[in-house]
Amino acid sequence: MNVLSIAGNDTVSVGGLADDADLTKAEIVAVHSHRHVVPSSLWRETCERATERIDILVYAGIYLAEDPLFFSTLKEKAESGVRIRVLMGDPECEAVVRRGIDEGHRIMDGKIRNALVNYRPLFTSHPQIAFRLHDTVLYNSIYRADDEMLANTHVYGIGAYMAPVFHLRRLPGGGLFDTFANSVQQTWEGARAVTERDITGA
């Protein structure tokens, strides 16, 4: 019987899974009730395990953009050949304005520009890290590292830090992981390059 280790302790049978629904459930490593209870180290450790790709899809993701250890991880992974794509919200698009209002403030554009200012040194020091801006309505912020993912749901009326986070690992035939991953690819294809105006607002 094939088994898959989940979160280091529990196991589920892969060979004995009855159907696609069971496979989908098996892709769920953990569910965190709020983003702020996710261990801060988990975001970095997930990326540290990547050997092929890292994808980040957010509006601002300021909590990562202010973490110097996360920056070091991105640099090290880029230098080792890992493909890294960072998708952030277009600070002037309607979806960003709307998200700020839904969260009870009107500063989402400022949060994005703050994050871009922090990331700007990487534009020249590590140009292989690709940054783009999107104007889509996000229902989740997604952080993918190879076949591992953290998906932060967006809930109307509260900030993303209060919303649940799903920790996923991809299994062939599972479907849940790939559903999130496909949305990242579609958003990337419709996104645009970052300009100086996006950073400064002038």
Side-chain angles (χ1 to χ4, degrees):
M1 177 179 293
N2 297 322
V3 296
L4 172 70
S5 176
I6 299 295
N9 296 313
D10 298 332
T11 60
V12 295
S13 167
V14 175
L17 292 172
D19 52 31
D20 290 346
D22 288 338
L23 278 169
T24 295
K25 291 177 183 177
E27 289 189 304
I28 301 173
V29 177
V31 178
H32 302 271
S33 57
H34 310 289
R35 192 186 72 200
H36 68 82
V37 303
V38 177
S40 59
S41 60
L42 181 59
W43 308 95
R44 294 191 305 273
E45 292 168 356
T46 301
C47 289
E48 287 169 357
R49 289 190 282 270
T51 59
E52 297 180 2
R53 71 167 72 189
I54 294 172
D55 287 333
I56 299 172
L57 172 60
V58 295
Y59 277 132
I62 190 67
Y63 56 98
L64 293 181
E66 293 178 340
D67 182 352
L69 294 178
F70 181 73
F71 269 51
S72 296
T73 298
L74 289 184
K75 292 176 182 178
E76 292 170 3
K77 287 300 173 178
E79 291 164 4
S80 71
V82 174
R83 186 189 71 173
I84 302 176
R85 304 187 300 183
V86 181
L87 275 159
M88 301 172 64
D90 181 337
E92 297 186 355
C93 78
E94 181 179 349
V96 163
V97 174
R98 182 73 254 172
R99 180 59 187 168
I101 294 172
D102 290 347
E103 288 190 357
H105 59 76
R106 296 176 182 268
I107 60 170
M108 183 62 74
D109 59 332
K111 292 170 69 174
I112 292 169
R113 289 193 167 99
N114 188 5
L116 286 170
V117 167
N118 292 347
Y119 280 126
R120 181 158 52 178
L122 296 180
F123 297 173
T124 52
S125 69
H126 292 75
Q128 66 269 49
I129 301 178
F131 287 84
R132 288 187 185 180
L133 300 180
H134 66 86
D135 61 2
T136 58
V137 175
L138 289 188
Y139 301 99
N140 306 274
S141 295
I142 299 173
Y143 311 82
R144 177 182 182 178
D146 291 347
D147 288 342
E148 191 170 4
M149 178 184 294
L150 295 167
N152 183 188
T153 63
H154 291 186
V155 178
Y156 179 78
I158 63 173
Y161 75 98
M162 285 293 293
V165 173
F166 292 87
H167 185 182
L168 308 176
R169 286 205 183 105
R170 185 179 184 276
L171 290 175
L176 182 59
F177 184 102
D178 288 343
T179 296
F180 285 105
N182 289 340
S183 74
V184 176
Q185 182 60 33
Q186 291 183 46
T187 306
W188 180 261
E189 291 171 358
R192 64 172 179 82
V194 180
T195 67
E196 187 65 20
R197 174 181 169 82
D198 296 318
I199 301 174
T200 64

